[in-house]
Amino acid sequence: MSTPPDDRTFRREMATAYRSGWHFIDLATAIPHPGDSLMVTLVGEPVIIVRDDDEDIRAYRCLRRPRGAPQPVRCAVRYGMVFVNLDQRDHQLIGKRKRDAAQHSAASDPLTATPRSA
């Protein structure tokens, strides 16, 4: 008989295995109008999906600390489906690439939109 994993092991596995990928949330038709929102819990974290005034769909991580503003997370809509990626390493990597590309000439390699975890 095996013993269940402790809480620390479970959190580590969730952070490494599940947080680093793209997760299907819902269809884009679930938030049809500007100002509509959808609250979900993804990998134990509350995430809010919002359709803004420009008809774009954005995702935010809801922080629990006092006076913490919602933190944007990567969100993509493909074929009418909303996907979210909670991995902060992808955000930092892509932000660094964009800054580096802005400093280099147009002859340098173009940036790819594929996340590191794909």
Side-chain angles (χ1 to χ4, degrees):
M1 185 163 112
S2 64
T3 60
D6 64 353
D7 190 45
R8 201 173 338 160
T9 303
F10 175 74
R11 282 188 273 130
R12 186 174 53 243
E13 287 177 2
M14 291 296 279
T16 57
Y18 298 107
R19 193 176 312 254
S20 64
W22 287 91
H23 300 278
F24 170 73
I25 300 297
D26 205 339
L27 297 176
T29 56
I31 46 176
H33 306 291
D36 288 349
S37 63
L38 178 67
M39 183 84 163
V40 297
T41 300
L42 181 62
V43 195
E45 291 189 31
V47 176
I48 187 164
I49 314 298
V50 179
R51 185 177 293 266
D52 64 11
D53 293 334
D54 296 332
E55 298 287 327
D56 292 332
I57 295 178
R58 302 186 189 280
Y60 299 93
R61 175 183 288 137
C62 299
L63 301 177
R64 293 190 176 124
R65 56 186 159 189
R67 292 181 272 166
Q71 180 183 22
V73 295
R74 293 188 56 188
C75 180
V77 178
R78 298 289 184 259
Y79 305 108
M81 298 179 287
V82 179
F83 295 90
V84 171
N85 188 338
L86 296 177
D87 191 1
Q88 289 299 312
R89 293 174 296 181
D90 284 342
H91 295 275
Q92 295 164 358
L93 183 62
I94 288 175
K96 183 175 186 275
R97 284 184 187 166
K98 285 182 182 178
R99 285 191 304 272
D100 292 345
Q103 293 173 355
H104 296 311
S105 66
S108 65
D109 294 333
L111 296 173
T112 66
T114 305
R116 178 187 54 76
S117 58

Coordinates of all heavy atoms in Angstrom, one line a residue, residues 17-70:
A17 N 4.6 20.5 -13.2 CA 4.0 19.7 -14.2 C 2.8 20.4 -14.9 O 2.6 20.4 -16.1 CB 3.5 18.4 -13.7
Y18 N 2.0 21.1 -14.1 CA 0.7 21.6 -14.6 C 0.7 23.1 -14.8 O 0.1 23.6 -15.8 CB -0.4 21.3 -13.6 CG -0.6 19.8 -13.5 CD1 -0.2 19.1 -12.3 CD2 -1.1 19.0 -14.5 CE1 -0.4 17.8 -12.2 CE2 -1.3 17.7 -14.4 CZ -0.9 17.0 -13.2 OH -1.1 15.7 -13.1
R19 N 1.4 23.9 -14.1 CA 1.4 25.3 -14.2 C 2.1 25.8 -15.5 O 1.8 26.8 -16.0 CB 2.1 26.0 -13.0 CG 1.8 27.4 -12.9 CD 2.4 27.9 -11.6 NE 2.0 27.1 -10.5 CZ 1.2 27.5 -9.5 NH1 0.6 28.6 -9.6 NH2 0.9 26.6 -8.6
S20 N 3.1 25.0 -16.0 CA 3.9 25.5 -17.1 C 3.3 25.3 -18.5 O 3.9 25.7 -19.4 CB 5.2 24.7 -17.0 OG 5.0 23.3 -17.3
G21 N 2.1 24.7 -18.6 CA 1.5 24.5 -19.9 C 0.3 25.4 -20.1 O -0.2 26.2 -19.3
W22 N -0.3 25.3 -21.3 CA -1.5 26.0 -21.7 C -2.7 25.2 -21.3 O -2.7 24.0 -21.5 CB -1.5 26.3 -23.2 CG -0.5 27.3 -23.6 CD1 0.8 27.1 -24.0 CD2 -0.7 28.7 -23.6 NE1 1.4 28.3 -24.2 CE2 0.5 29.3 -24.1 CE3 -1.8 29.5 -23.4 CZ2 0.6 30.7 -24.2 CZ3 -1.7 30.9 -23.5 CH2 -0.5 31.4 -24.0
H23 N -3.7 25.8 -20.6 CA -4.8 25.1 -20.1 C -6.1 25.7 -20.8 O -6.3 26.9 -20.9 CB -4.9 25.3 -18.6 CG -3.8 24.8 -17.9 ND1 -3.6 23.4 -17.6 CD2 -2.7 25.4 -17.4 CE1 -2.5 23.2 -17.0 NE2 -1.9 24.4 -16.9
F24 N -7.0 24.8 -21.3 CA -8.3 25.2 -21.8 C -9.1 25.7 -20.7 O -9.3 25.0 -19.7 CB -8.9 24.0 -22.5 CG -10.3 24.3 -22.9 CD1 -10.6 25.2 -24.0 CD2 -11.4 23.7 -22.3 CE1 -11.9 25.4 -24.4 CE2 -12.7 24.0 -22.6 CZ -13.0 24.8 -23.7
I25 N -9.7 26.9 -20.9 CA -10.6 27.5 -19.9 C -12.1 27.3 -20.3 O -12.9 26.6 -19.6 CB -10.3 29.0 -19.6 CG1 -8.9 29.2 -19.2 CG2 -11.3 29.6 -18.7 CD1 -8.6 28.5 -17.8
D26 N -12.5 27.8 -21.4 CA -13.9 27.8 -21.8 C -13.9 28.3 -23.3 O -12.9 28.7 -23.8 CB -14.8 28.6 -20.9 CG -16.2 28.2 -20.9 OD1 -16.6 27.5 -21.9 OD2 -16.9 28.5 -20.0
L27 N -15.1 28.3 -23.8 CA -15.3 28.8 -25.2 C -15.4 30.4 -25.0 O -15.8 30.9 -24.0 CB -16.5 28.3 -25.8 CG -16.6 26.8 -26.1 CD1 -17.9 26.4 -26.6 CD2 -15.5 26.4 -27.0
A28 N -14.9 31.1 -26.1 CA -15.0 32.5 -26.0 C -16.4 33.0 -26.0 O -16.6 34.1 -25.5 CB -14.3 33.1 -27.3
T29 N -17.4 32.2 -26.4 CA -18.8 32.6 -26.3 C -19.3 32.7 -24.9 O -20.4 33.2 -24.7 CB -19.6 31.7 -27.2 OG1 -19.4 30.3 -26.7 CG2 -19.3 31.7 -28.6
A30 N -18.5 32.2 -23.9 CA -19.0 32.2 -22.5 C -18.9 33.7 -22.0 O -19.6 34.0 -21.0 CB -18.1 31.3 -21.7
I31 N -18.1 34.5 -22.6 CA -18.0 35.9 -22.3 C -18.2 36.8 -23.5 O -17.3 37.3 -24.1 CB -16.7 36.3 -21.6 CG1 -15.5 35.6 -22.3 CG2 -16.7 35.8 -20.1 CD1 -14.2 36.0 -21.7
P32 N -19.5 36.9 -24.0 CA -19.8 37.4 -25.3 C -19.7 39.0 -25.4 O -19.4 39.5 -26.5 CB -21.2 37.0 -25.6 CG -21.8 36.8 -24.3 CD -20.7 36.4 -23.4
H33 N -19.9 39.7 -24.4 CA -20.0 41.1 -24.4 C -18.9 41.8 -23.7 O -18.4 41.3 -22.7 CB -21.4 41.6 -23.8 CG -22.5 40.9 -24.4 ND1 -23.0 41.1 -25.7 CD2 -23.4 40.0 -23.9 CE1 -24.0 40.4 -26.0 NE2 -24.3 39.7 -24.9
P34 N -18.5 43.0 -24.1 CA -17.5 43.8 -23.4 C -17.9 44.0 -21.9 O -19.1 44.3 -21.7 CB -17.4 45.1 -24.1 CG -17.9 44.8 -25.5 CD -19.0 43.8 -25.3
G35 N -17.0 43.7 -21.0 CA -17.3 43.9 -19.6 C -17.7 42.6 -19.0 O -17.7 42.5 -17.7
D36 N -18.0 41.5 -19.7 CA -18.3 40.2 -19.2 C -17.0 39.6 -18.6 O -15.9 39.8 -19.1 CB -18.9 39.3 -20.2 CG -20.3 39.7 -20.6 OD1 -20.9 40.5 -19.9 OD2 -20.8 39.1 -21.6
S37 N -17.2 38.8 -17.6 CA -16.1 38.1 -17.0 C -16.4 36.7 -16.6 O -17.6 36.3 -16.5 CB -15.6 38.9 -15.8 OG -16.5 38.9 -14.8
L38 N -15.4 35.9 -16.4 CA -15.6 34.5 -16.0 C -14.5 34.2 -14.9 O -13.3 34.5 -15.1 CB -15.4 33.6 -17.2 CG -15.4 32.1 -17.0 CD1 -16.9 31.7 -16.6 CD2 -15.0 31.4 -18.3
M39 N -14.9 33.7 -13.8 CA -14.0 33.4 -12.7 C -13.8 31.9 -12.6 O -14.8 31.2 -12.5 CB -14.5 33.9 -11.4 CG -13.6 33.7 -10.2 SD -12.4 35.1 -10.2 CE -11.8 34.9 -8.5
V40 N -12.5 31.4 -12.7 CA -12.2 30.0 -12.6 C -11.1 29.8 -11.6 O -10.3 30.7 -11.3 CB -11.8 29.4 -14.0 CG1 -13.0 29.5 -15.0 CG2 -10.6 30.1 -14.6
T41 N -11.0 28.6 -11.2 CA -9.8 28.2 -10.4 C -9.0 27.2 -11.2 O -9.5 26.2 -11.6 CB -10.3 27.5 -9.1 OG1 -11.1 28.4 -8.3 CG2 -9.1 27.1 -8.2
L42 N -7.7 27.6 -11.4 CA -6.8 26.9 -12.3 C -5.6 26.5 -11.5 O -4.9 27.4 -11.0 CB -6.5 27.7 -13.5 CG -5.6 27.0 -14.5 CD1 -6.2 25.8 -15.1 CD2 -5.3 28.0 -15.6
V43 N -5.3 25.3 -11.3 CA -4.2 24.8 -10.5 C -4.1 25.4 -9.1 O -3.1 25.8 -8.6 CB -2.8 25.0 -11.3 CG1 -1.7 24.2 -10.7 CG2 -2.9 24.7 -12.8
G44 N -5.3 25.5 -8.6 CA -5.4 26.0 -7.2 C -5.4 27.5 -7.1 O -5.4 28.1 -6.0
E45 N -5.3 28.3 -8.2 CA -5.3 29.7 -8.2 C -6.5 30.3 -8.8 O -6.9 29.9 -9.9 CB -4.0 30.2 -8.9 CG -2.7 29.9 -8.2 CD -1.6 30.6 -8.9 OE1 -1.8 31.7 -9.4 OE2 -0.5 30.0 -8.8
P46 N -7.1 31.3 -8.2 CA -8.2 32.0 -8.9 C -7.8 32.8 -10.0 O -6.8 33.6 -9.9 CB -8.9 32.8 -7.8 CG -7.8 33.0 -6.8 CD -6.8 31.9 -6.9
V47 N -8.4 32.7 -11.2 CA -8.1 33.4 -12.4 C -9.4 34.0 -12.9 O -10.4 33.3 -13.0 CB -7.5 32.5 -13.4 CG1 -7.2 33.2 -14.7 CG2 -6.2 31.9 -12.9
I48 N -9.3 35.3 -13.3 CA -10.5 35.9 -13.9 C -10.2 36.2 -15.4 O -9.2 36.7 -15.8 CB -10.9 37.2 -13.2 CG1 -12.2 37.7 -13.7 CG2 -9.8 38.2 -13.2 CD1 -12.9 38.7 -12.8
I49 N -11.2 35.8 -16.2 CA -11.1 36.0 -17.7 C -12.1 37.1 -18.0 O -13.2 37.0 -17.6 CB -11.5 34.7 -18.5 CG1 -10.8 33.5 -17.9 CG2 -11.2 34.9 -19.9 CD1 -9.3 33.5 -17.9
V50 N -11.6 38.2 -18.7 CA -12.4 39.4 -19.0 C -12.4 39.7 -20.5 O -11.3 39.6 -21.1 CB -11.9 40.6 -18.2 CG1 -12.6 41.8 -18.4 CG2 -11.8 40.3 -16.7
R51 N -13.5 40.1 -21.0 CA -13.6 40.7 -22.3 C -13.6 42.2 -22.2 O -14.5 42.8 -21.6 CB -14.8 40.2 -23.1 CG -14.8 40.7 -24.6 CD -15.9 40.2 -25.4 NE -15.9 38.7 -25.6 CZ -15.4 38.1 -26.6 NH1 -14.8 38.9 -27.6 NH2 -15.4 36.8 -26.7
D52 N -12.5 42.9 -22.7 CA -12.4 44.3 -22.5 C -13.2 45.1 -23.5 O -13.9 44.5 -24.4 CB -11.0 44.8 -22.4 CG -10.2 44.5 -23.7 OD1 -10.8 44.2 -24.7 OD2 -9.0 44.7 -23.6
D53 N -13.2 46.4 -23.5 CA -13.9 47.3 -24.4 C -13.5 47.1 -25.8 O -14.3 47.4 -26.7 CB -13.8 48.7 -24.0 CG -14.5 49.0 -22.6 OD1 -15.4 48.2 -22.3 OD2 -14.1 49.9 -21.9
D54 N -12.3 46.7 -26.1 CA -11.8 46.5 -27.5 C -12.1 45.1 -28.0 O -11.6 44.6 -29.0 CB -10.3 46.7 -27.5 CG -9.9 48.1 -27.2 OD1 -10.8 49.0 -27.4 OD2 -8.8 48.3 -26.7
E55 N -13.0 44.3 -27.3 CA -13.4 42.9 -27.6 C -12.2 41.9 -27.4 O -12.4 40.8 -27.9 CB -13.9 42.9 -29.1 CG -15.2 43.7 -29.3 CD -16.4 43.0 -28.7 OE1 -16.5 41.8 -28.6 OE2 -17.3 43.8 -28.2
D56 N -11.1 42.3 -26.8 CA -10.0 41.4 -26.6 C -10.3 40.7 -25.3 O -10.9 41.2 -24.4 CB -8.7 42.2 -26.4 CG -8.2 42.8 -27.7 OD1 -8.6 42.2 -28.8 OD2 -7.5 43.8 -27.6
I57 N -9.9 39.4 -25.2 CA -10.0 38.6 -24.0 C -8.7 38.6 -23.3 O -7.7 38.3 -23.9 CB -10.5 37.2 -24.4 CG1 -11.9 37.3 -25.0 CG2 -10.5 36.3 -23.1 CD1 -12.5 35.9 -25.4
R58 N -8.7 38.9 -22.0 CA -7.5 39.0 -21.2 C -7.8 38.1 -19.9 O -8.9 37.9 -19.5 CB -7.2 40.4 -20.8 CG -7.0 41.3 -22.0 CD -6.6 42.7 -21.6 NE -6.6 43.6 -22.7 CZ -5.6 43.7 -23.6 NH1 -4.6 42.9 -23.5 NH2 -5.7 44.5 -24.6
A59 N -6.7 37.7 -19.3 CA -6.7 36.9 -18.1 C -5.9 37.5 -17.0 O -4.8 38.0 -17.3 CB -6.2 35.4 -18.4
Y60 N -6.3 37.4 -15.8 CA -5.6 38.0 -14.6 C -5.6 37.0 -13.5 O -6.7 36.4 -13.2 CB -6.3 39.3 -14.2 CG -6.3 40.3 -15.2 CD1 -7.4 40.5 -16.1 CD2 -5.2 41.2 -15.4 CE1 -7.4 41.5 -17.1 CE2 -5.2 42.2 -16.4 CZ -6.3 42.3 -17.2 OH -6.3 43.3 -18.2
R61 N -4.5 36.9 -12.8 CA -4.4 36.1 -11.6 C -4.9 37.0 -10.4 O -4.4 38.1 -10.3 CB -3.0 35.6 -11.4 CG -2.7 34.9 -10.1 CD -1.3 34.6 -9.9 NE -0.9 33.5 -10.8 CZ 0.2 33.4 -11.6 NH1 1.1 34.4 -11.5 NH2 0.4 32.4 -12.4
C62 N -5.7 36.5 -9.6 CA -6.3 37.2 -8.5 C -5.4 37.0 -7.3 O -5.3 35.9 -6.8 CB -7.7 36.8 -8.2 SG -8.8 37.1 -9.5
L63 N -4.7 38.0 -6.9 CA -3.8 37.9 -5.7 C -4.5 38.0 -4.4 O -5.5 38.8 -4.3 CB -2.7 39.0 -5.8 CG -1.8 38.9 -7.1 CD1 -0.8 40.1 -7.1 CD2 -1.1 37.6 -7.2
R64 N -4.1 37.3 -3.4 CA -4.7 37.4 -2.1 C -4.1 38.3 -1.1 O -4.6 38.5 -0.1 CB -4.7 35.9 -1.5 CG -5.6 35.0 -2.4 CD -5.8 33.7 -1.6 NE -6.7 32.9 -2.4 CZ -6.4 31.7 -2.8 NH1 -5.2 31.1 -2.5 NH2 -7.2 31.0 -3.5
R65 N -3.0 38.9 -1.5 CA -2.4 39.8 -0.5 C -3.1 41.1 -0.5 O -3.7 41.5 -1.5 CB -0.9 39.9 -0.8 CG -0.6 40.4 -2.2 CD 0.9 40.4 -2.5 NE 1.1 40.4 -3.9 CZ 2.2 40.2 -4.5 NH1 3.3 40.1 -3.8 NH2 2.3 40.2 -5.8
P66 N -3.0 41.9 0.6 CA -3.7 43.1 0.7 C -3.2 44.1 -0.4 O -2.1 44.2 -0.7 CB -3.3 43.6 2.1 CG -2.8 42.5 2.8 CD -2.3 41.5 1.8
R67 N -4.2 44.8 -0.9 CA -4.0 45.8 -1.9 C -3.2 45.3 -3.1 O -2.5 46.1 -3.8 CB -3.3 47.0 -1.3 CG -4.1 47.8 -0.4 CD -3.4 49.0 0.2 NE -2.7 48.5 1.3 CZ -1.7 49.2 1.9 NH1 -1.4 50.4 1.5 NH2 -1.1 48.8 3.0
G68 N -3.3 44.1 -3.4 CA -2.6 43.5 -4.6 C -3.5 43.6 -5.8 O -4.6 43.2 -5.9
A69 N -2.9 44.3 -6.9 CA -3.7 44.4 -8.1 C -3.7 43.1 -8.8 O -2.7 42.3 -8.7 CB -3.0 45.5 -9.0
P70 N -4.7 42.8 -9.6 CA -4.7 41.6 -10.4 C -3.4 41.5 -11.3 O -3.1 42.5 -12.0 CB -6.0 41.6 -11.2 CG -6.8 42.6 -10.5 CD -5.9 43.5 -9.8

